[in-house]
Structure formats: structure tokens, C-alpha cells
Amino acid sequence: MWPFTSSYLTIVEEKKAKQKEALKSISVPQDLSSEYDKFINATATEIVTCIENGEWTASQVVEAYIFRAVQAHAATNCLTEVMFDWAREQARDLDNEFSVMKRLRGPLHGVPTSFKDQFDIVGYDSTIGFTQWANKPATTNADLVSQFLAAGAVLFVKTNVPQTMFTFECSNPLWGRSTNPHNDQYTCGGSSGGEGALLAMDGSAVGIGSDIGGSLRIPAAYCGIYSLKPSTGRISFAGSRSPVNGFEGIKTVVGPMARSVEDLQLVSRVVFGVQGDEQSIAPIPYRQIQLPPKLRFGYYTSDNFVKASPACQRAILETVEALRKKGHECIELNLPGASDAFNIFVGLTSADGYKKLLSHLGPDPKENSLWLVTSVPKLPSFVRSLASWMIEKVLGDKIFANLARTARVWNKYGFDAIIAPVQAVPQLPHGYAEPNPFAAPFVNMIHIHSGCDHFGALVAATVLYNVLDHPVGCLPVTHIDPLKDQITPEWTAGPGHGSSYLEKGVFYSETPLYNPIQSAGMPVGIQIVGKKWEEEKVLEMMHIVDDALRKDRGFGPGSWKPKDRSS
């Protein structure tokens, strides 16, 4: 365990003071000023159109989003680096250029854009929550940063991430914990959690995140926004910081996060196929495609690892019903191999016992949410074998025992897309309890069951498509309804159950993680999975799904309201 000293606290105080100074010039009244509403309620696509038509200026737009970003940060603690002064300079330059040239600089002209903290921006830190990485500002821009600036985007904030970017809990000793904008008792997800919280509150027009196991999709689902996880090789990752540089077992991908499908497409048109410094991007620019009038969707409501909760199951079935009404074919499938893919993911990422991942902590205290995932792989092999044997033989849970064993990967199906739950639950509550280092891992899991701290295995639902390298879109479908989404005898007796350990903690413990009363009104999202290299088709199918569902279902620009939060 890393030595705990007060040295990191000095850095925390310095960085927080600098952030506070950057924020203090903006007053935050109780209600959003009505003069900013038209900018905040516009999609990025609409912002560009209004600027091109001479109705708005980039400076007007960025002031509105600065105002809203400060509100979002006050509510959720979602920001890291604050770049307001520079953003105003960018906007003035764009306005001056437009007044002379009478044309846009590029397709993102005047769009306020946020970046996940890991992306290098000249003059600003990319700490990803490590105090040892503080006060070392980048000297070059990440490829995507350069591409966005060239396209006319206005970069104005960076957003928070979990410690090591390897957990659901968006928290680290440097910047603290980010919360869900719909209910602060829940996490906004990880690892692109700050982006999810900021966008859900209309604090940015578009954002950029990354994904190695679900980090674009989980925050999008938790916060009720849209995201696209592309396959590897479509968008450059060069110039972004990682705690495990050079890891090639499962490659991290970069993707857009937004408040509409059209804005995901707007960003994708700019960045797909643009070669970066590492010359690792397939030369495939954005392609216009025409979908057939009738699509064939596969769907499932359980990956047989952990059964989807009634709320997540309802989101899938409501989507299927809406698509069928539009004439599309939807076929239920029994998904094989989710646990097998998770085995591969865990085996690859923990090959060194997470030594490299944790090497950057230095004096920083390790977050509770990292305890289980990083401690178990470092146990001697005979201890892991004994634990697996006990779980399987004594406690009767073959699925959870198989987390340390290799098997086959799920075979692809011949659908246009597969509709899937993002996780077994719509969101996870924050973790609070201190783990007992002398207890077996599975004992902690059942008896502490403190949300993000010990239920990282729920990532299996998204990890599957990182292992298979499929493009995946995520969009919000509905909100948790305490009347519709209770655990019922029919749900309990029905098929699709998986790990008895995980399901006990999630659904049946004294304080179950899934609580539709406590989480009432929170968003529920789905995954739309396509085939390798078919990102454009996934985006078009997201349009099909989005249009099939009710347009007034409470998502998109302007949908977040302060009254939706609970404390």
C-alpha cells in the first residue's frame, strides 16, 4: 500500500484554489437566466446554423455555456481544468474571422466543447486525478484537440474522472467526487463521468470521452445523454494520458458524447478517419449510408451474468415495441459468452496485478472503489483458486467462479444491430463503506455491498463489446418508475438469472442497490450494437430508435430541471 502523507494535500489545495479563482468571476443565481435559454436549449448542430445565419455569435453562445457549466459544477463537481478566459479569446477570434470572411471556420464553428481530463491541451494539466501529475501542463495538443480547434470548436473545460479511470465511481483525491445530476446519492458513472454530468445539465454542447470497458456508455446511461463508442482505428487517441501507456490487450477508443444523435454525427463527420501523429487511424472518413426500410434487430434482456432489473428490462421491451410498430423485425436472442468476455478482459488488464495502473498513486490514498478490482488479482494464485472453488462448490455460483477462467468469446449474430441493456441496473449509488482487508472478497461483496465500491463486475455488460471491438451507441429511453419497475414474483421466477452473489447484493440484500423508489425519475438507457467498421450505420439506427420512441420523453437539450434533483 502506498504511504499516506500530507504532501498530496498541498497539491490538492493549490489546484482547487486555482480552479476556484477561474470560476469566481461567474455569478450563479438560483435560476438560469432566461437570456441564455435559447443557447442552452439548442443542439450543437443548431448552434452552428444560427451562427452561420448571423443570428448568434460565438461569444454569446460561449457565455451561456460558461454560465451553465458553473451551475453544473456547483451541483455535481464535474469540472477539473477551467479555461474560460481562453474560451472567450477563441470565441472573439471566431467572431472577428466570421465578420471579415463571412463564412464558418469549420463544421464546429462556435460550439462550446468539453474534454475528458486525460486529453492534452497546451498550457493545462492532464492529471486524471493523480496529484503527482499536477502542475505539469501539456506542451502539445492531443490530436483531437487540434482537430476540434481547426473545425472552429470553442474548448472551455475539462472534466473529472475516477482515480486510474478504472471504476464506476467518478472520484479521486485531487478533484473529489462527481455526482449524478439527477440524484446526488448516485454516481454519474465512469470513467467519462464528469462529461456525462456536465452534458446532462446542458453545461456543454458536445464532449469527448474514452472507453476501454464501458466508459462512454455507462456515464451516458447513468446521466441520460447520448454517446458513441466506435471500433478501434476510427478516431485518433494520440495525445491523451493513460495510467498504462502502451497497453494493447484491449485498446482504448475515443468517442463523442452529446445531447442528440445528430450531434454525435456532427462530431463523427469531423474526426472519423483523420490521421494523427501516430499514423494508426484507418483512412476511412465518415460515410453517408442509406438504411433499408425494414431493419432486423436482435435483443436480449439478460446477458446471463446478472439479470437486467425491471427498469432496464422495460427500456429494452419498450424499444422493441416501438420498433415493431414502425415495421422493423425484432428477434429475442439468448446471449452467450458475456462472462467469457469478462474473463478475457480481467485476464488482460490484470496481467501485472495492476502494478503499473497503481504506480502513479504515490502519496494519494487509494479510492475505496478500487479496492476489490485491484486487490484480488494480486492475491497468490492458490488463494484465488481457493476462493473460486468455495464460490462454486460451497456457494453454488459457477458464473462468478469463472471470472478467473478463460473460455470462448461470443460469436457474432447476423442482425443489423443488437439492442442490449447497458448494465443490470440504471445507476449505482455511491460507495461509502470501508472494506475489511481481512475478509474474503466475496464476503465483502455481499455484506458491504456499497454500490460502486464492490460491484465493478457489472461492467461485464459493456466489456463484451470492447473485447469484440464492436461499435456501440448509447441512448436514453425512459425514466425509472417506482410503480412499473419493482421487483415482482414474475421477474424473480423468470429466466435470465446469473451470478447469485451479484444478484443478491443488487436485488435481494437488506439494502439492495436497485431501489426504484430511491432512484425514481432517473434515466434508463440502452446499447445499440453494430458490426465492426459500421459506426455510420449505428448512428443511423440510433436515429431510427430515437424517432420510434416518443420525442417528448424528457431527454435532449433543455430537458434537465433543478427540481429533478434530490438530496
Side-chain angles (χ1 to χ4, degrees):
M1 187 172 183
W2 289 103
F4 179 82
T5 71
S6 62
S7 63
Y8 88 97
L9 293 174
T10 301
I11 297 173
V12 171
E13 291 171 2
E14 291 173 351
K15 289 292 290 183
K16 287 290 188 69
K18 187 175 181 179
Q19 184 193 64
K20 185 178 180 180
E21 183 70 19
L23 292 167
K24 75 175 186 178
S25 64
I26 310 298
S27 62
V28 187
Q30 187 69 27
D31 298 315
L32 180 65
S33 173
S34 58
E35 67 180 283
Y36 290 146
D37 284 353
K38 62 183 178 182
F39 307 117
I40 296 301
N41 295 342
T43 65
T45 306
E46 291 167 343
I47 289 171
V48 175
T49 299
C50 288
I51 292 176
E52 185 174 26
N53 292 339
E55 301 170 29
W56 300 348
T57 67
S59 294
Q60 288 175 323
V61 173
V62 77
E63 286 300 332
Y65 280 90
I66 285 174
F67 181 88
R68 188 61 168 203
V70 173
Q71 283 198 323
H73 180 67
T76 67
N77 190 44
C78 56
L79 304 182
T80 57
E81 303 296 325
V82 177
M83 307 178 290
F84 293 162
D85 288 342
W86 180 46
R88 293 185 175 107
E89 291 177 14
Q90 296 172 63
R92 283 195 297 268
D93 288 344
L94 288 167
D95 290 339
N96 292 336
E97 181 179 316
F98 185 79
S99 68
V100 174
M101 305 300 292
K102 305 301 181 184
R103 65 171 181 264
L104 301 175
R105 179 178 296 179
L108 297 176
H109 187 109
V111 175
T113 302
S114 49
F115 270 76
K116 189 176 181 177
D117 191 73
Q118 72 186 117
F119 290 90
D120 281 346
I121 298 176
V122 170
Y124 297 91
D125 285 345
S126 301
T127 62
I128 61 172
F130 297 135
T131 62
Q132 291 194 124
W133 290 13
N135 303 315
K136 298 174 183 177
T139 56
T140 58
N141 285 328
D143 283 349
L144 269 185
V145 170
S146 297
Q147 292 166 24
F148 268 70
L149 290 172
V154 178
L155 280 55
F156 74 126
V157 290
K158 297 175 76 173
T159 53
N160 203 20
V161 298
Q163 187 180 47
T164 74
M165 300 192 295
F166 206 66
T167 85
F168 298 149
E169 183 74 277
C170 191
S171 178
N172 59 74
L174 177 55
W175 297 111
R177 171 186 281 172
S178 300
T179 60
N180 193 292
H182 301 282
N183 185 327
D184 58 17
Q185 299 303 302
Y186 288 77
T187 181
C188 54
S191 61
S192 307
E195 281 297 319
L198 181 67
L199 285 158
M201 285 190 65
D202 299 313
S204 179
V206 294
I208 287 292
S210 63
D211 193 311
I212 192 174
S215 296
L216 283 161
R217 292 158 285 163
I218 293 166
Y222 282 18
C223 297
I225 64 168
Y226 299 74
S227 71
L228 174 70
K229 181 203 82 69
S231 306
T232 56
R234 293 304 305 269
I235 303 176
S236 177
F237 187 63
S240 58
R241 303 294 300 274
S242 169
V244 190
N245 281 333
F247 178 68
E248 295 286 317
I250 296 175
K251 292 186 177 182
T252 300
V253 296
V254 181
M257 304 175 75
R259 299 168 297 161
S260 69
V261 179
E262 65 178 349
D263 286 350
L264 297 180
Q265 289 179 305
L266 177 67
V267 173
S268 297
R269 289 188 180 99
V270 172
V271 299
F272 277 4
V274 180
Q275 197 58 261
D277 289 341
E278 296 179 354
Q279 301 294 304
S280 59
I281 302 304
I284 306 174
Y286 191 92
R287 300 160 294 183
Q288 292 298 135
I289 65 165
Q290 185 69 41
L291 292 177
K294 182 178 180 179
L295 295 169
R296 188 167 187 249
F297 292 93
Y299 73 94
Y300 57 89
T301 57
S302 175
D303 57 14
N304 299 308
F305 189 78
V306 176
K307 185 174 180 176
S309 63
C312 294
Q313 189 176 82
R314 180 169 62 85
I316 297 293
L317 297 178
E318 286 184 359
T319 302
V320 167
E321 181 183 7
L323 288 169
R324 284 174 172 162
K325 286 181 178 178
K326 295 292 184 179
H328 301 291
E329 184 180 9
C330 297
I331 302 171
E332 188 170 11
L333 64 108
N334 183 29
L335 182 72
S339 61
D340 299 338
F342 191 34
N343 296 341
I344 294 170
F345 179 85
V346 171
L348 289 171
T349 58
S350 67
D352 68 341
Y354 295 115
K355 181 178 180 181
K356 179 64 175 177
L357 184 78
L358 299 175
S359 67
H360 311 288
L361 267 61
D364 298 354
K366 187 164 76 170
E367 294 280 327
N368 289 340
S369 57
L370 279 170
W371 181 82
L372 186 67
V373 70
T374 59
S375 297
V376 174
K378 294 194 292 186
L379 293 172
S381 59
F382 78 90
V383 175
R384 294 198 304 271
S385 297
L386 177 61
S388 293
W389 181 86
M390 290 179 66
I391 293 169
E392 180 175 350
K393 301 300 182 182
V394 178
L395 300 170
D397 191 339
K398 293 183 179 181
I399 291 177
F400 197 72
N402 278 340
L403 293 181
R405 300 174 182 145
T406 59
R408 297 183 301 275
V409 178
W410 172 51
N411 293 320
K412 291 187 291 186
Y413 286 79
F415 299 107
D416 290 300
I418 293 175
I419 299 167
V422 178
Q423 275 186 359
V425 293
Q427 294 86 16
L428 280 175
H430 296 296
Y432 294 101
E434 292 291 335
N436 176 3
F438 302 105
F442 51 86
V443 173
N444 274 288
M445 184 167 294
I446 290 177
H447 296 293
I448 294 180
H449 53 71
S450 51
C452 296
D453 286 359
H454 297 290
F455 282 83
L458 293 178
V459 78
T462 49
V463 156
L464 174 63
Y465 300 112
N466 293 88
V467 173
L468 296 173
D469 199 19
H470 285 271
V472 186
C474 182
L475 61 78
V477 173
T478 187
H479 298 83
I480 298 171
D481 186 321
L483 297 178
K484 295 179 180 178
D485 297 328
Q486 291 287 340
I487 298 291
T488 64
E490 292 77 15
W491 182 91
T492 300
H497 289 283
S499 165
S500 58
Y501 282 117
L502 293 172
E503 291 193 0
K504 179 176 181 179
V506 172
F507 301 118
Y508 302 117
S509 67
E510 292 182 5
T511 55
L513 298 185
Y514 178 70
N515 186 332
I517 296 176
Q518 180 177 311
S519 59
M522 298 189 74
V524 189
I526 59 170
Q527 297 186 90
I528 300 175
V529 186
K531 297 177 183 177
K532 174 80 172 179
W533 302 117
E534 291 190 352
E535 285 78 8
E536 294 87 349
K537 185 175 180 179
V538 168
L539 287 166
E540 291 295 337
M541 289 186 290
M542 290 178 73
H543 267 303
I544 295 294
V545 173
D546 208 36
D547 290 343
L549 296 165
R550 289 187 303 109
K551 279 295 187 181
D552 60 347
R553 65 189 193 276
F555 300 105
S559 62
W560 185 89
K561 305 297 178 188
K563 62 181 177 62
D564 292 338
R565 299 182 73 245
S566 64
S567 58

